[in-house]
Amino acid sequence: MHFRALGTFEVEHEGRILTPTAPKQRSVLALLALHHGGLVPISSLIEEIWPSDPPASAVTTLQTYVYQLRRVLSEAVGPSKEILVTKPLGYVANIAPENIDVYRFERLVESGKRELAAGNAKKASEILHQATGVWSGKALCDVHRGPLLEAHAARLDEAGLEALVMQAEADLRIGRHQELVGELRGLVAKHPWHEGLYAKLIVALYRCERRSQALEVYHEVRRGLDDELGIDPSPNLQQLYQAVLSDATWLRFEPAPRAVVNRRVAVPPAQLPADLSDFCGRGQELAELDRLLVPDSGSPQVVTVTGMPGVGKTALALHAAHAARSRFPDAQLYACLASSTEKPVDPAEVLHGFLRDLGAAADDIPAEQEGMARMFRTRVAQMKGLLVIDDARTADQIRPLLPGGPQWSVLVTGRSLSGWLPGSHDIVVESMDTGDGIAMLAGMVGESRALQERSVLAGLVQRCGGLPIALRALGERLAVNRHWSLRKLAARVAEQEGMLAEFRAADLDLCDYLRRGFGDLAPQDRKALFALGRAEADRFDTAYVASLLGLDLRATEDSLDRLAARHLLRAAPENTPGDPHYVLHPLLRAVLAPTRPQPARRPPHILPARRLNVAVRALPVGAYVGKVA
């Protein structure tokens, strides 16, 4: 059975096409096939099929789609439950990787790239022609694509274009410039702004003794870029133009030297900690990370993942890193900058470990941090690698660890990062929405049980404010006490003390965990945070907090902004112009004020509690819901 996605999506078995005709079934099958052997969460499938407004029957409808897919596959290959396997959190497609054209394409491209780097241009050309021959059009061109499939298709199309450029380079090295001219003219017509293809065409024309046409191609792309985009050609293309004008010797064709075989094989570092087997949800964040974690971006790509304690930053980053690791074959490095004490890990210690893992002898490693950083950048400059830095506090911790090569991606997690990393992309992780939270608990209690008591699970998710670390603790309590009903657990966590006791029973000291980030707060900010924990209002504006603290509006606003930057508050913009209101996560409120007194009189400009709850529910996805006390 062969799955094709590099063009029209087809499933072929012994000459028969088995692809279902229903668009949503095709989308489900395509997403499962692209994750062959990996779990696709139910929440991700629902988001893919109904991106904006899933119906109440979404889970049941999805089960029907899977049943119909199994029936289609069974008609050709017999019982297909072993192909589409139901798991607690979703579904797994047990498809041999070699039966998927995407896998074959990616393996061929990696092999061709290694041969080209080793100087084996002829072998590289043969392999890369095999890789590009797998394509029959744009990826998934006949499949209705939601956010996840759209991200997959964009990545595959970009990889296909990169393979064509690499193939042209290999062909130029072995003297195929005559044949390349026609092929490259067709490609630049399809991709009019891809300067890499234009560069190969210019070189091919020059080597065919058509120098004037090579110059004409440069002026053609220069005029097009100026007219359509208002920009000049890239420096590389401008340098190539000058080389053609000056008849530079390096442009002439010379057979590549024979490759030198290095018999010393090093094992590339692969340091990523294990991925969570039951990871679920976060479809939007994963799609964004999949888009950003790509090599060959021209400079090291830095992505930061921040959010409040317990929101699942590390789990998200590691899951995304594992999904992208095949793009970074030379090295996957990992460092956790947290320590058992308040003092963070020294970057020099991390650099020393990286250099040893990359093969440096201990005696050759410089003693000072700056020397180690220079040596690290030199060793990894030509590599295609991924670096994951977990639990960072400041940009100063990260800068010495950044590689300088253009084919690296760096993924950083932290509650917040003081300082600035130029050019970084920040992804803020919010609490889970109700659907993803239910899917997470369903993976622990069983899908059938979850379907029967979905409303109870929804209440537990709201009780925890969608915080993943709290949801996992409740799931563990149910796993340990299998005789409990969901309603019994809901009753035990109905009161604040009971809920904190359940967390402690699951080895989660929520008070200690959430308070770890309070130590380095400014005294004024810490005072404001505890005052808000004792306040009656669920939402509050600057004027209300100023009245609590006895400060002026400017100082109060600065304090609230600092707390929001640390993800200890959430700014909730109003529908009408004016200052934002702020929301305190319900579990953080429980930690700050476990015995919150009720004031005798509510400030007149704060909404009553009943109306406040309505306002909180109206916040965007990821807002905190439910009251703890």
Side-chain angles (χ1 to χ4, degrees), residues 447-507:
E447 190 174 340
S448 59
R449 187 178 178 190
L451 289 172
Q452 295 171 1
E453 299 188 84
R454 184 179 175 86
S455 62
V456 181
L457 287 180
L460 290 173
V461 174
Q462 294 181 2
R463 188 83 179 114
C464 295
L467 196 66
I469 194 173
L471 294 174
R472 187 168 290 278
L474 293 188
E476 289 177 5
R477 294 295 291 150
L478 288 169
V480 170
N481 300 282
R482 296 181 180 277
H483 58 286
W484 282 9
S485 68
L486 296 180
R487 295 185 183 278
K488 178 174 181 177
L489 177 63
R492 290 175 70 91
V493 301
E495 298 297 328
Q496 177 176 311
E497 284 305 317
M499 181 172 60
L500 295 177
E502 293 302 325
F503 293 151
R504 288 192 293 271
D507 292 328

Side-chain angles (χ1 to χ4, degrees), residues 352-369:
H352 192 279
F354 283 169
L355 289 169
R356 292 301 307 271
D357 294 335
L358 291 166
D363 294 341
D364 296 336
I365 299 176
E368 74 284 358
Q369 177 178 297

Side-chain angles (χ1 to χ4, degrees), residues 272 320-329 332 386:
L272 295 180
H322 277 278
R325 65 181 179 180
S326 63
R327 305 175 196 170
F328 304 95
Q332 299 136 36
L386 175 64

Side-chain angles (χ1 to χ4, degrees), residues 3-281:
F3 289 75
R4 301 188 182 97
L6 302 178
T8 57
F9 179 68
E10 291 181 347
V11 183
E12 182 267 336
H13 180 69
E14 296 180 351
R16 295 177 56 199
I17 301 299
L18 309 178
T19 316
T21 56
K24 292 180 179 179
Q25 290 181 31
R26 290 167 66 84
S27 298
V28 171
L29 185 55
L31 197 57
L32 290 170
L34 288 171
H35 287 82
H36 55 89
L39 178 72
V40 180
I42 291 173
S43 57
S44 296
L45 289 164
I46 290 174
E47 180 187 5
E48 179 66 26
I49 301 170
W50 300 282
S52 57
D53 189 20
S57 61
V59 174
T60 304
T61 304
L62 176 60
Q63 291 172 334
T64 302
Y65 290 158
V66 174
Y67 167 76
Q68 292 169 341
L69 289 173
R70 286 185 176 136
R71 187 174 63 182
V72 170
L73 297 175
S74 296
E75 292 176 358
V77 299
S80 62
K81 286 190 176 180
E82 294 183 358
I83 298 176
L84 300 183
V85 180
T86 302
K87 295 289 185 180
L89 293 176
Y91 299 95
V92 173
N94 285 331
I95 305 167
E98 58 270 17
N99 289 334
I100 302 176
D101 63 356
V102 172
Y103 176 87
R104 182 164 178 257
F105 164 75
E106 290 175 340
R107 300 287 76 74
L108 286 169
V109 168
E110 287 301 323
S111 177
K113 189 178 300 183
R114 286 194 297 270
E115 294 293 342
L116 193 61
N120 301 323
K122 188 174 186 299
K123 184 66 174 176
S125 174
E126 294 172 357
I127 295 172
L128 291 168
H129 275 277
Q130 292 180 44
T132 56
V134 174
W135 285 74
S136 60
K138 283 188 170 292
L140 299 168
C141 59
D142 63 339
V143 176
H144 176 75
R145 301 195 295 256
L148 299 181
L149 282 180
E150 189 65 47
H152 276 293
R155 178 182 64 82
L156 290 172
D157 285 333
E158 187 62 31
L161 198 53
E162 179 188 358
L164 287 170
V165 175
M166 200 185 316
Q167 173 187 301
E169 174 62 25
D171 287 347
L172 284 171
R173 291 190 191 183
I174 61 175
R176 287 193 70 246
H177 35 269
Q178 294 282 357
E179 300 93 324
L180 267 179
V181 170
E183 296 173 17
L184 289 169
R185 285 200 183 277
L187 287 173
V188 297
K190 292 180 181 178
H191 309 283
W193 310 125
H194 198 291
E195 296 183 48
L197 291 172
Y198 275 104
K200 304 304 180 191
L201 177 56
I202 290 171
V203 174
L205 286 168
Y206 176 87
R207 291 182 179 176
C208 292
E209 303 296 333
R210 295 154 72 175
R211 186 178 173 201
S212 61
Q213 293 182 28
L215 295 171
E216 184 181 335
V217 167
Y218 173 81
H219 289 299
E220 175 188 328
V221 67
R222 180 184 57 78
R223 286 192 298 269
L225 291 171
D226 184 43
D227 292 344
E228 298 295 331
L229 304 177
I231 60 175
D232 293 325
S234 66
N236 287 339
L237 202 57
Q238 293 182 43
Q239 290 172 12
L240 178 59
Y241 169 66
Q242 293 297 329
V244 174
L245 283 176
S246 61
D247 198 22
T249 56
W250 64 265
L251 280 174
R252 300 167 192 167
F253 170 66
E254 294 180 5
R258 299 177 67 89
V260 177
V261 178
N262 184 358
R263 299 186 181 277
R264 184 180 177 185
V265 179
V267 178
Q271 301 175 348
L272 295 180
D275 192 7
L276 283 178
S277 60
D278 59 352
F279 185 92
C280 68

Side-chain angles (χ1 to χ4, degrees), residues 296 300 330 358 373-385 402-408:
D296 301 320
D330 297 331
L358 291 166
R374 288 196 300 268
M375 187 176 185
F376 173 67
R377 291 193 294 269
T378 300
R379 280 187 169 258
V380 303
Q382 301 304 318
M383 290 183 176
K384 184 175 288 188
L402 294 179
Q407 300 186 99
W408 277 82

